[in-house]
Amino acid sequence: MDPKCKGLPFSSFLILPFQRITRLKLLVQNILKKVEEKSEREITALEAHKELETVVKACNEGVRKMSRTEQMISIQKKLEFKIKSVPIISHSRWLLKQGDLQQMNGPKTSRTLRTKKLFREIYLFLFNDLLVLCRQIPGDKYQVFDSAPRGLLRVEELEDQGQSLANVFILRLLENADDREVSYMLKASSQSEMKRWMILLAPNRRTKFVSFTSRLMDCPQIQCVHPYVAQQPDELSLELADVLNILEKTDDGWIFGERLHDQERGWFPSSMGEEILNPKIRSQNLKECFRVHKTDDSQRRKMGSRNKQ
């Protein structure tokens, strides 16, 4: 091996240019904090920020598409349909979350403290437009017993019914594989896992706090102090100094947040950041973010009017 490589693999050299682009974007964001509003320097910095953001998004989207296609092919090979087969692979479909939950058996009136006998394990694959419910079978395979379009899903959290029925929620399929409405009572392994499933299963459901895009001026915020690499599709990778609005918090240490500079959402451990308690700093963070996005919106409107002409 050439000593110039310093023992690093080829992939590390491929990723280096992309890391530089993201650092340049952070540099421009810091410059914007220092320059005067409506000055020539601000205009130049905003134009540079817009171009860098376009490049970063294009790179991210290319990597994301390749990864999604490979993942969909892998999932398709693992599924066996007990019901009418549903084509899984599609260019417009991607995985949001997968994992096991406990399904309650029997009518509601039969609920007792013998929950271990009442619950049996099921496995869910949730895509951006489809939910597939399965049971795991030998050979790392999954047998599909029901499915529904994601737009026809509803969730309802149960009131506190004691430790035995903690983290339980109702999932309603308004139109399942048999064209009828069905309900499943599901139990998650933790409060955060229940919240994560509920938010993805019903994306229009209100979170505890209102998002940045609603222009709420004093939403709780957190700043990243430790980098974090997402482990699941519904998680958000964080870089040092990222500032996020807190949309949901759980008692077991997870936060559902929306990053200010790009409005990307996802879950991450609360230990990765420090909550911003000073309301003046929160307000300043939002002001700086509005400043960038207001300019981007106005530029998009100008481009749109030119195209119409």
Side-chain angles (χ1 to χ4, degrees):
M1 183 179 287
D2 194 313
K4 292 180 181 179
C5 296
K6 298 180 180 179
L8 296 173
F10 182 60
S11 58
S12 66
F13 294 97
L14 290 176
I15 201 171
L16 189 61
F18 182 71
Q19 289 176 332
R20 285 175 177 162
I21 293 170
T22 56
R23 288 170 189 163
L24 284 171
K25 185 180 173 182
L26 290 173
L27 176 62
V28 173
Q29 287 172 354
N30 286 324
I31 291 172
L32 281 167
K33 294 178 182 178
K34 306 293 183 182
V35 298
E36 293 182 11
E37 290 190 34
K38 298 181 181 178
S39 65
E40 188 67 31
R41 288 183 176 181
E42 184 200 45
I43 294 171
T44 303
L46 286 169
E47 288 177 352
H49 184 274
K50 181 190 172 188
E51 293 300 322
L52 286 167
E53 195 167 57
T54 301
V55 174
V56 170
K57 284 183 177 178
C59 292
N60 283 336
E61 190 59 30
V63 173
R64 192 178 292 129
K65 280 184 178 179
M66 186 179 298
S67 175
R68 285 173 175 173
T69 301
E70 292 173 355
Q71 190 175 45
M72 297 300 287
I73 293 171
S74 175
I75 292 172
Q76 176 77 69
K77 292 178 179 178
K78 294 180 179 180
L79 298 183
E80 294 182 2
F81 285 83
K82 187 178 179 181
I83 56 172
K84 183 180 177 182
S85 178
V86 178
I88 297 297
I89 299 174
S90 168
H91 291 296
S92 59
R93 179 175 292 153
W94 62 88
L95 182 72
L96 295 178
K97 188 172 178 61
Q98 69 180 76
D100 59 302
L101 292 167
Q102 300 291 319
Q103 178 196 353
M104 183 175 186
N105 297 314
K108 293 182 180 180
T109 54
S110 69
R111 290 185 222 161
T112 69
L113 293 177
R114 297 171 299 168
T115 51
K116 288 186 178 179
K117 294 182 180 180
L118 291 175
F119 287 94
R120 62 180 299 191
E121 191 171 290
I122 64 171
Y123 201 93
L124 273 60
F125 289 95
L126 179 63
F127 305 99
N128 61 309
D129 61 346
L130 177 71
L131 172 68
V132 176
L133 297 93
C134 319
R135 301 197 198 282
Q136 193 162 9
I137 56 177
D140 194 26
K141 298 279 188 178
Y142 299 89
Q143 187 178 65
V144 180
F145 65 87
D146 209 349
S147 65
R150 188 178 176 219
L152 297 179
L153 304 176
R154 301 293 183 269
V155 293
E156 176 189 347
E157 186 175 351
L158 290 185
E159 298 296 327
D160 185 20
Q161 298 190 37
Q163 187 61 36
S164 59
L165 289 176
N167 309 320
V168 174
F169 66 97
I170 303 293
L171 170 64
R172 282 198 299 136
L173 281 56
L174 301 183
E175 186 177 307
N176 75 341
D178 296 325
D179 298 324
R180 60 189 180 89
E181 182 176 329
V182 296
S183 294
Y184 295 97
M185 183 174 288
L186 304 174
K187 181 180 176 70
S189 58
S190 63
Q191 185 195 42
S192 59
E193 191 68 7
M194 179 188 71
K195 294 282 188 183
R196 289 166 72 161
W197 275 112
M198 291 181 70
I199 285 174
L200 285 174
L201 288 165
N204 295 324
R205 179 177 171 272
R206 291 192 65 179
T207 52
K208 185 175 181 180
F209 303 108
V210 184
S211 75
F212 154 75
T213 50
S214 69
R215 301 303 194 256
L216 182 69
M217 294 307 294
D218 197 25
C219 181
Q221 291 178 5
I222 188 169
Q223 184 167 24
C224 174
V225 295
H226 301 291
Y228 180 70
V229 178
Q231 306 297 311
Q232 299 290 336
D234 64 335
E235 294 180 10
L236 185 65
S237 293
L238 302 178
E239 298 288 344
L240 280 174
D242 277 353
V243 177
L244 305 97
N245 272 351
I246 298 173
L247 305 185
E248 191 76 67
K249 295 170 73 174
T250 67
D251 296 335
D252 54 353
W254 284 84
I255 289 175
F256 182 59
E258 181 180 65
R259 189 160 44 214
L260 292 191
H261 73 78
D262 60 6
Q263 281 82 66
E264 287 286 329
R265 293 184 176 190
W267 289 90
F268 56 90
S270 57
S271 58
M272 294 298 107
E274 292 180 356
E275 192 163 344
I276 300 171
L277 302 177
N278 190 323
K280 290 183 179 179
I281 296 177
R282 293 198 297 266
S283 178
Q284 183 63 30
N285 289 336
L286 284 177
K287 184 180 177 182
E288 290 169 359
C289 196
F290 288 144
R291 183 180 173 189
V292 173
H293 289 284
K294 183 179 179 182
T295 305
D296 288 347
D297 290 341
S298 63
Q299 287 176 339
R300 277 192 286 269
R301 284 195 292 270
K302 286 179 182 177
M303 289 296 293
S305 61
R306 287 175 188 170
N307 291 337
K308 288 180 182 178
Q309 291 173 1

